[in-house]
Amino acid sequence: MVRFLAGKGVQYALVLLFAVTLNFMLPRMMPGSPLVFLAGEDVGFLSQAQRTDLLRSLGLDQPLWRQYVRYLGNLVTGNLGYSFQKGRPISEIIAERLPWTLLLVGLALLAATLIGVVWGTLVAWRRGSAFDLGSLGISMFFESTPSFWLGMIFIAVFAARLRWFPIFGAQTPGVSLAGWAMVANTAWHLALPLATLTLITIPGNFLIMRYSMLNVLGEQYIATAKAKGLAERTVIYRHAMRNALLPMATVVMLNLGFIASGATVIETVFSYPGVGRLLYEAVLNRDYPVIQATFFILTVSVIAANVLADLLYPLIDPRVRHAR
Amino acid sequence: MSTVTATAESAPVRVRPRRRRLGVVGVVGLALLILLVGSAIFAPWIAPYNPEESSGNPFAAPSRLHPLGTNDIGQDILSELIYGTRISLAIGFLAAIVAISIGTLIGTVAGYFGGWVDAVLMRAVDVVLVIPFLPLMILIAAYVGPSFWNIILVIGLLVWARPARVLRSQVLSLKSLDYIDAARALGAPASRILRLHVLPGVLSLSLAQFILAASNAILIEASLSFLGLGDPTAKSWGSILYYAQVRSAFLTGAWLWWVLPPGLLITLAVLGFAFTGFALEEVLNPRLRGMS
Amino acid sequence: MRTVAILAMILIAVLATIPAAGLAQTGAVRIAIRRDEGSLNPYTYQSGYPGWNIMTLVYDPLFYPDANNEPIPWLVRDVKVSTDGRTWTLTLHPNVRWHDGRPLTSEDVKFTFEYVQKVTHSRWTPTTRNLDGVDAPNPQTVVFRLKAPDAGFRLRTLADVPILPKHIWESVTTVAAARAFTNTVGSGPFRVEEVRAGQFYRLSAYPQYFAGPVKVRELILPIVRDATVSFTALQAGEIDANARTLTPELVAQFEKQAGIKVVRGPGFASTLLQFNLEHPLLRDLRLRRAIANAVNTNLMVKLLTLGYAVVGSPGYIHPASPFYASGLKFEASKAKAVAILNEAGYRDRNNDGVRETPEGTPLRFTLLAQAENPLRIRGAELVRTWLKDIGIAIDVRVADDASVIDLVWPDFDVCKGRRFDMSMFGWSAPVMTRPTALVDLFHSSCQIGTINIGGYKNAQIDRLGEQLVVTVDSNRQKQIAAQMQKIVAEELPVHVLYYQDVIMAYRAAAHDKWVFQKGQGVLTKLSFVDPPKR
């Protein structure tokens, strides 16, 4: 098991290195200068000396390799740099935004897994029935539907027309709330984006769980349990589901890259102030340091979750614990 | 979509063998595909107007002249959608071709040669799989610029990873087959074995993966276009939605005829490809039979 | 199953209590802005509009543009200009205080102008280039000494640069420090109470404002990046006004809506077709004239802006501007376009639908359009269709703003050249309000014509422009400007398409005393406080 973990460790280190280097190179290779977003269109009136001044104060005049070394060093010490646009340390900006994304993604993951598992289990038991086919149809529909389209329709119907939910943001702006009122306000704003993200994540989990359950249900020991006359409930939950959950766990973790992507689009559509939306805005504004930092954080988060999964998985699945 | 195939190759199945039938799912999928491809091919005959022409007043509601109304500069939406089939399907197919070409090559080479070649290539696959794909695509798409071919390249360069994995395991199981063993024992060069024995065995699975990749690609293109990172002058369904959104269709009630139809078409296209892909996989890959 | 049912019931119960904790009406005016504006102080705000407008709610310049874009005295009570135009003696109001209670004196004014010369600011450092020095002989008097008389000094400098508190900013000595400085103590009618980065700003009225009572108690500025979302929010009552101009397709709907008022006025932001005058083919005036004739700007206004725009004047200046050379108009005619092309020898010799030059080069051009601006992209599509009709092939290339700028105006430095054929482009309102805009736009020297992105060269324009810059008499200014416009209309270095109207929608119940600044909108200090009395 140690070798397994070490192997995984190498893999993740490689991923990190690749992401970090890609991060650094791509923005540097992009056409367009960040000057406009430092200085607006009036930058045209600056003299050459003043422009160089600005460039130097932001480190853009150094040779590429020097910038890279500085970049790596900064990452290691947790310094994610300064945002050109906002003139603030990026770690501050990300620290403000990351909790929102974690909240959204975490809850969506939880909800989508729970619902997917339960639904998949129930459907597998009733394979071939109308319930099964209907479920398959619905889940395929939601997996094929563009998430932004779903989000905009939710906004149009539930927020704009019916006024049941707010249209944008994570909290009502300008109002200071505390305690239960703040939690409730946050939840109210979270409802639609969470619903959208969950709806598009459930199908993947549902299908896997169903498939996994079908496999397990075909096994000999299940037939034995049924023959023994055990109640349907017991057979499902005590025997089948627990075994069916095992491959599920890996899949849930594979979901993370997908959910991080989904969250980016959904945060944009709902104007939800998370890290995904920060990336999108930064790319549009050519805010180099923010692009790098945000992408880095997103990748690190996904890797961290994967590491967690790899550490926890042997605890769940005894077969892996003792295998190579 | 892709998560299902991943489990398919990692968890062995013991299921009752079934006849090689396409099944309801496959038929539905194929029907959808035929319908869409047909619309794409016969667009000039089906579409009531040239979508580039401002044939009506801007923001017109549906009428007899324009069954789905007009967009923000008076172009007929129905015609846009019909011609949009061409662009969206083209992008889907082409991106899938890129993805499958890369995926087949890498999967086959990795599976066949094994050893460190396999290790290195599979590491590459893992890297691509772990990174959150849309942020990466947003990043790259913004860099290369919104153009028809750039989008195809960007999508293809990220969607190849899962097919590579699947095809690799197929190759692994092929490798243990007797006749391949024999060929190797007889000293046949690797390129010959690959060409004559391995590739044909992998080709049919490639086809299924190709269709699944196309399904993915269409969805991704829609998202990128909607975010404004696609080519807005190419009338794909995603860019129709882009204009609907930036021209406030959601506020004016125009969303019923400007937003709903393109989204539904995207969903149908993705479904069509997915159904067909799954059905094909089931037919071609014995291990997956019994899934539905 | 039972467990699921119980869980569901708990969830529903929880959800039911939530809406109550939602929208508490605060009695403040909520204005949506489209982007983050830093800490809202002079060195961290981001955009010309609405950034500058909001920042000047917290800080005061010496003058301020009124509803007609004329600079009126604000912190200043009295102005004396020497006959040679080089010495300006200003008397300040005596009872102006900073938000922290300290008095605002001529020391602060002197400090501010010396500061922006030292600590580079893209907007103000250039406008102070002409300053020889600033003196503060007594706390209420400031003397500006200019190197040369400057026609735009009042509007471009005195009505633009916000005064900084010396006691707070004197320790912030570098550009980096200034851009990171979060202090917002100003002298303006509003104080910054809360900055929630990326989400909103909260400003409250400053009760001791020298010019009188502030009409609104509190301002909340939520950042809503998405235009559709911001208008949906306005319609739903989640915000009271929008810094963005209302898009044409929503006007009819908002006008019908109870509780919402819509005000409309001419806009000074321009949309134009920019030519690269250094391009071997586009150098030919006849070709440019033909292209301009093929673009039906009347139809464009109807299709793109649903009529909510003014057709472009070929001399660039908006018909509603006091500097407009009256009677200047461009009548587009497709027949004329074809005739000009035929006469000039551009014919389609190989019958492929595209005309060629007498030497055989096909008339094929790339037209750039910024991705963030869907109206421009649509405009480019229309131009492509119309030019195709007269045998000119256009390839529309959509790129994000930064990439387009990189090709058209690399590093925002006209001296760096250009790499494009044609581009959809536009300038914001302030460019129109400066009398010297024509010089910035068309002077051939890249140090003077700082926004001459087409590389246009005309000796007469240069001469007139140099004259204009030092002319202080407004009638004479108008004369020179009119001459320049006529030349521009003849030579067509740019083809001005239209000026989109500014349409502001707001909820009258929250605030109804908005002042419409011509060409720009309602987000002006005058909407919240009356000008100080002399």
Side-chain angles (χ1 to χ4, degrees):
Chain A
M1 194 181 94
V2 175
R3 239 180 74 178
F4 164 76
L5 285 178
K8 284 283 186 170
V10 169
Q11 175 193 339
Y12 292 139
L14 277 174
V15 175
L16 216 50
L17 190 64
F18 169 74
V20 158
T21 311
L22 184 72
N23 250 341
F24 177 80
M25 290 311 302
L26 264 182
R28 293 273 178 281
M29 298 194 280
M30 278 202 262
S33 154
L35 269 186
V36 65
F37 303 105
L38 289 173
E41 67 181 12
D42 298 299
V43 130
F45 302 108
L46 282 184
S47 74
Q48 191 50 42
Q50 285 157 342
R51 247 182 281 251
T52 322
D53 234 4
L54 265 176
L55 280 176
R56 188 174 313 135
S57 73
L58 297 151
L60 289 176
D61 59 332
Q62 303 276 344
L64 214 59
W65 68 266
R66 252 221 199 112
Q67 292 186 48
Y68 186 58
V69 169
R70 184 166 134 181
Y71 173 70
L72 284 181
N74 282 339
L75 279 183
V76 165
T77 57
N79 172 9
L80 293 170
Y82 246 57
S83 160
F84 290 170
Q85 249 195 47
K86 307 178 197 227
R88 304 167 68 201
I90 299 180
S91 32
E92 234 177 69
I93 304 176
I94 293 196
E96 277 163 12
R97 302 260 206 153
L98 192 59
W100 294 115
T101 301
L102 291 178
L103 186 64
L104 178 64
V105 168
L107 286 178
L109 198 60
L110 202 63
T113 311
L114 274 171
I115 298 178
V117 162
V118 170
W119 195 15
T121 309
L122 292 173
V123 158
W125 193 255
R126 288 167 182 65
R127 194 224 309 208
S129 67
F131 179 46
D132 183 17
L133 294 174
S135 298
L136 278 172
I138 294 177
S139 78
M140 295 232 102
F141 176 83
F142 278 112
E143 197 171 12
S144 315
T145 224
S147 56
F148 62 87
W149 180 71
L150 206 59
M152 291 307 282
I153 293 191
F154 280 0
I155 294 184
V157 173
F158 296 111
R161 233 138 271 262
L162 293 173
R163 312 270 177 100
W164 289 355
F165 295 100
I167 288 162
F168 67 95
Q171 292 181 321
T172 307
V175 179
S176 317
L177 299 164
W180 172 244
M182 186 193 74
V183 171
N185 188 265
T186 308
W188 187 51
H189 279 84
L190 197 52
L192 285 183
L194 183 60
T196 316
L197 189 55
T198 308
L199 273 175
I200 59 167
T201 317
I202 290 177
N205 296 342
F206 162 75
L207 288 170
I208 299 299
M209 190 60 194
R210 178 181 176 281
Y211 179 70
S212 182
M213 268 299 266
L214 285 177
N215 286 343
V216 168
L217 288 177
E219 301 263 346
Q220 194 57 35
Y221 64 90
I222 295 294
T224 315
K226 273 158 110 174
K228 268 164 49 177
L230 286 177
E232 172 182 303
R233 200 85 143 307
T234 323
V235 179
I236 297 182
Y237 294 120
R238 268 252 291 267
H239 296 278
M241 193 156 143
R242 280 159 72 188
N243 289 314
L245 274 176
L246 299 175
M248 190 64 208
T250 10
V251 171
V252 164
M253 285 314 159
L254 283 177
N255 253 344
L256 285 166
F258 173 78
I259 275 199
S261 304
T264 305
V265 177
I266 285 171
E267 282 179 19
T268 305
V269 163
F270 286 92
S271 286
Y272 199 76
V275 163
R277 187 167 174 118
L278 181 63
L279 172 66
Y280 174 65
E281 290 172 11
V283 167
L284 286 183
N285 293 327
R286 287 293 185 280
D287 195 339
Y288 286 3
V290 174
I291 299 175
Q292 293 175 14
T294 314
F295 191 74
F296 176 69
I297 291 293
L298 277 174
T299 310
V300 165
S301 309
V302 171
I303 290 179
N306 274 294
V307 168
L308 197 66
D310 286 326
L311 286 175
L312 289 178
Y313 192 62
L315 298 174
I316 307 175
D317 187 351
R319 298 177 298 180
V320 174
R321 208 171 20 218
H322 301 294
R324 294 295 230 96
Chain B
M1 296 282 135
S2 29
T3 50
V4 183
T5 11
T7 314
E9 53 90 14
S10 59
V13 175
R14 252 183 296 138
V15 175
R16 284 191 337 262
R18 285 261 202 100
R19 290 195 337 257
R20 295 171 78 106
R21 250 176 62 245
L22 210 52
V24 176
V25 165
V27 169
V28 170
L30 219 50
L32 278 173
L33 276 191
I34 292 177
L35 200 66
L36 288 168
V37 173
S39 306
I41 297 178
F42 296 110
W45 289 276
I46 311 176
Y49 299 93
N50 175 0
E52 308 262 325
E53 199 188 297
S54 298
S55 50
N57 283 323
F59 298 102
S63 64
R64 256 179 6 148
L65 277 180
H66 299 276
L68 282 179
T70 59
N71 68 8
D72 55 313
I73 50 172
Q75 297 166 339
D76 180 49
I77 293 181
L78 180 61
S79 307
E80 272 194 312
L81 289 177
I82 294 175
Y83 274 88
T85 316
R86 291 187 163 183
I87 308 281
S88 298
L89 287 186
I91 295 181
F93 276 131
L94 291 168
I97 288 178
V98 173
I100 289 305
S101 308
I102 303 178
T104 307
L105 185 66
I106 294 194
T108 312
V109 166
Y112 186 77
F113 289 110
W116 64 267
V117 171
D118 183 21
V120 166
L121 287 177
M122 283 304 107
R123 283 277 174 270
V125 168
D126 288 336
V127 164
V128 172
L129 282 179
V130 168
I131 292 189
F133 71 92
L134 198 64
L136 182 59
M137 273 193 251
I138 291 176
L139 189 64
I140 302 180
Y143 156 57
V144 295
S147 97
F148 184 77
W149 292 104
N150 287 341
I151 288 302
I152 290 172
L153 215 65
V154 166
I155 298 178
L157 282 177
L158 286 163
V159 171
W160 64 265
R162 225 169 266 289
R165 263 251 191 98
V166 174
L167 290 166
R168 170 185 170 269
S169 35
Q170 174 78 330
V171 169
L172 282 180
S173 53
L174 276 179
K175 217 163 71 159
S176 57
L177 286 176
D178 289 338
Y179 65 91
I180 298 218
D181 245 357
R184 286 167 90 187
L186 286 174
S191 57
R192 195 183 147 84
I193 301 182
L194 279 171
R195 213 167 16 103
L196 291 179
H197 301 294
V198 177
L199 267 181
V202 148
L203 226 50
S204 40
L205 197 57
S206 282
L207 182 62
Q209 289 299 313
F210 167 78
I211 295 185
L212 288 174
S215 163
N216 237 341
I218 292 178
L219 204 51
I220 297 174
E221 184 272 327
S223 296
L224 289 177
S225 292
F226 173 77
L227 290 176
L229 295 166
D231 182 3
T233 57
K235 289 184 182 298
S236 73
W237 296 325
S239 62
I240 294 175
L241 281 172
Y242 166 73
Y243 279 113
Q245 206 251 337
V246 296
R247 301 299 250 136
S248 314
F250 288 96
L251 267 180
T252 55
W255 67 278
L256 275 171
W257 58 83
W258 201 1
V259 173
L260 228 38
L264 285 174
L265 275 176
I266 295 173
T267 312
L268 284 175
V270 174
L271 274 174
F273 277 96
F275 281 168
T276 312
F278 280 139
L280 265 180
E281 222 174 31
E282 219 177 287
V283 164
L284 299 166
N285 185 349
R287 290 197 311 174
L288 285 176
R289 278 186 234 147
M291 231 203 76
S292 67
Chain C
M1 250 330 34
R2 216 171 22 146
T3 359
V4 176
I6 295 177
L7 280 173
M9 285 198 296
I10 296 178
L11 190 64
I12 293 174
V14 165
L15 287 174
T17 67
I18 289 172
L23 272 184
Q25 184 51 274
T26 57
V29 178
R30 298 158 300 174
I31 310 174
I33 59 176
R34 56 172 292 204
R35 55 187 299 186
D36 194 272
E37 297 285 351
S39 320
L40 274 191
N41 71 29
Y43 272 80
T44 61
Y45 83 93
Q46 294 300 315
S47 62
Y49 178 87
W52 183 89
N53 304 59
I54 300 173
M55 183 272 298
T56 49
L57 292 178
V58 182
Y59 294 79
D60 292 312
L62 293 170
F63 285 72
Y64 197 80
D66 71 0
N68 287 316
N69 295 301
E70 297 291 341
I72 55 175
W74 199 270
L75 284 179
V76 159
R77 211 169 53 167
D78 193 45
V79 187
K80 282 193 191 45
V81 186
S82 67
T83 33
D84 66 353
R86 292 219 289 253
T87 312
W88 293 58
T89 312
L90 311 175
T91 315
L92 301 173
H93 277 278
N95 54 340
V96 185
R97 290 193 176 275
W98 297 105
H99 294 155
D100 62 2
R102 306 262 287 260
L104 188 156
T105 68
S106 58
E107 280 300 317
D108 296 306
V109 178
K110 176 176 155 80
F111 168 78
T112 302
F113 283 89
E114 287 169 356
Y115 191 84
V116 301
Q117 282 184 305
K118 250 188 338 166
V119 183
T120 310
H121 190 289
S122 63
R123 185 164 166 150
W124 302 313
T125 312
T127 67
T128 49
R129 231 183 263 154
N130 189 28
L131 270 184
D132 199 19
V134 185
D135 305 316
N138 66 59
Q140 242 57 62
T141 312
V142 188
V143 180
F144 287 90
R145 285 174 289 110
L146 279 65
K147 295 185 192 147
D150 179 1
F153 186 60
R154 205 187 294 240
L155 184 61
R156 206 156 146 207
T157 311
L158 296 180
D160 206 72
V161 180
I163 304 303
L164 302 170
K166 173 175 175 183
H167 60 282
I168 292 182
W169 285 77
E170 58 188 345
S171 55
V172 183
T173 48
T174 64
V175 175
R179 295 201 59 82
F181 199 42
T182 54
N183 183 289
T184 51
V185 167
S187 60
F190 286 95
R191 271 190 299 219
V192 177
E193 294 293 341
E194 189 181 351
V195 176
R196 189 92 62 91
Q199 294 196 50
F200 67 88
Y201 299 93
R202 198 157 55 85
L203 312 175
S204 71
Y206 177 42
Q208 281 92 34
Y209 191 55
F210 79 99
V214 181
K215 300 175 188 170
V216 169
R217 203 199 53 195
E218 197 181 34
L219 280 182
I220 297 179
L221 308 169
I223 299 173
V224 187
R225 204 178 197 279
D226 202 299
T228 307
V229 172
S230 71
F231 289 117
T232 314
L234 180 57
Q235 191 170 49
E238 280 188 25
I239 55 173
D240 303 307
N242 205 329
R244 270 188 170 94
T245 181
L246 190 60
T247 44
E249 61 270 14
L250 293 175
V251 176
Q253 187 162 334
F254 273 68
E255 276 175 343
K256 278 192 297 213
Q257 186 117 352
I260 293 192
K261 260 229 208 110
V262 179
V263 288
R264 203 177 118 198
F268 282 167
S270 57
T271 303
L272 38 92
L273 184 59
Q274 175 76 51
F275 297 111
N276 178 357
L277 278 312
E278 292 170 356
H279 188 287
L281 296 180
L282 291 171
R283 233 178 247 164
D284 184 355
L285 169 57
R286 296 167 302 177
L287 184 55
R288 294 201 303 274
R289 252 209 216 116
I291 292 177
N293 267 292
V295 175
N296 187 339
T297 42
N298 281 307
L299 188 55
M300 201 179 245
V301 162
K302 175 172 163 243
L303 285 179
L304 288 185
T305 64
L306 303 182
Y308 295 113
V310 172
V311 171
S313 157
Y316 185 78
I317 300 292
H318 194 294
S321 159
F323 296 99
Y324 173 62
S326 57
L328 216 51
K329 257 207 309 214
F330 189 88
E331 302 288 355
S333 148
K334 182 169 148 195
K336 224 196 278 179
V338 172
I340 296 176
L341 287 175
N342 286 334
E343 230 182 86
Y346 295 109
R347 287 174 198 277
D348 181 12
R349 293 177 184 85
N350 54 7
N351 272 315
D352 62 347
V354 179
R355 294 176 190 256
E356 295 94 25
T357 66
E359 293 80 33
T361 323
L363 294 185
R364 254 203 177 90
F365 303 102
T366 319
L367 174 59
L368 298 172
Q370 286 107 331
E372 293 84 0
N373 198 326
L375 274 188
R376 300 246 177 106
I377 304 175
R378 288 302 206 197
E381 285 182 27
L382 288 175
V383 168
R384 175 178 63 184
T385 310
W386 291 331
L387 287 183
K388 185 161 147 201
D389 267 348
I390 63 166
I392 298 179
I394 295 289
D395 175 32
V396 175
R397 253 193 63 194
V398 177
D400 61 273
D401 199 43
S403 304
V404 172
I405 294 281
D406 199 48
L407 294 168
V408 169
W409 192 17
D411 278 345
F412 301 95
D413 187 355
V414 171
C415 299
K416 287 224 168 108
R418 50 208 58 81
R419 284 187 327 264
F420 71 107
D421 300 343
M422 302 198 280
S423 176
M424 301 294 288
F425 212 77
W427 299 104
S428 64
V431 173
M432 191 74 70
T433 56
R434 295 176 246 191
T436 47
L438 291 168
V439 187
D440 302 328
L441 281 168
F442 299 119
H443 196 290
S444 61
S445 157
C446 60
Q447 306 283 353
I448 305 178
T450 49
I451 47 176
N452 181 356
I453 57 179
Y456 175 56
K457 284 184 173 43
N458 179 302
Q460 224 191 337
I461 288 273
D462 289 354
R463 212 175 21 88
L464 288 169
E466 284 148 24
Q467 251 191 304
L468 181 59
V469 169
V470 295
T471 308
V472 191
D473 171 54
S474 58
N475 280 325
R476 186 83 187 100
Q477 279 179 355
K478 288 191 180 120
Q479 277 177 348
I480 303 177
Q483 280 179 285
M484 292 179 79
Q485 286 171 67
K486 292 205 178 76
I487 300 177
V488 170
E490 260 302 303
E491 303 242 298
L492 293 175
V494 302
H495 183 49
V496 187
L497 298 172
Y498 56 83
Y499 318 95
Q500 213 174 335
D501 287 345
V502 173
I503 311 173
M504 299 253 106
Y506 59 89
R507 297 199 150 264
H511 183 50
D512 205 3
K513 304 202 177 55
W514 301 95
V515 167
F516 196 101
Q517 185 180 4
K518 191 174 357 165
Q520 306 204 42
V522 298
L523 206 54
T524 160
K525 212 172 357 205
L526 295 168
S527 294
F528 301 106
V529 69
D530 290 324
K533 304 182 195 19
R534 316 285 285 274

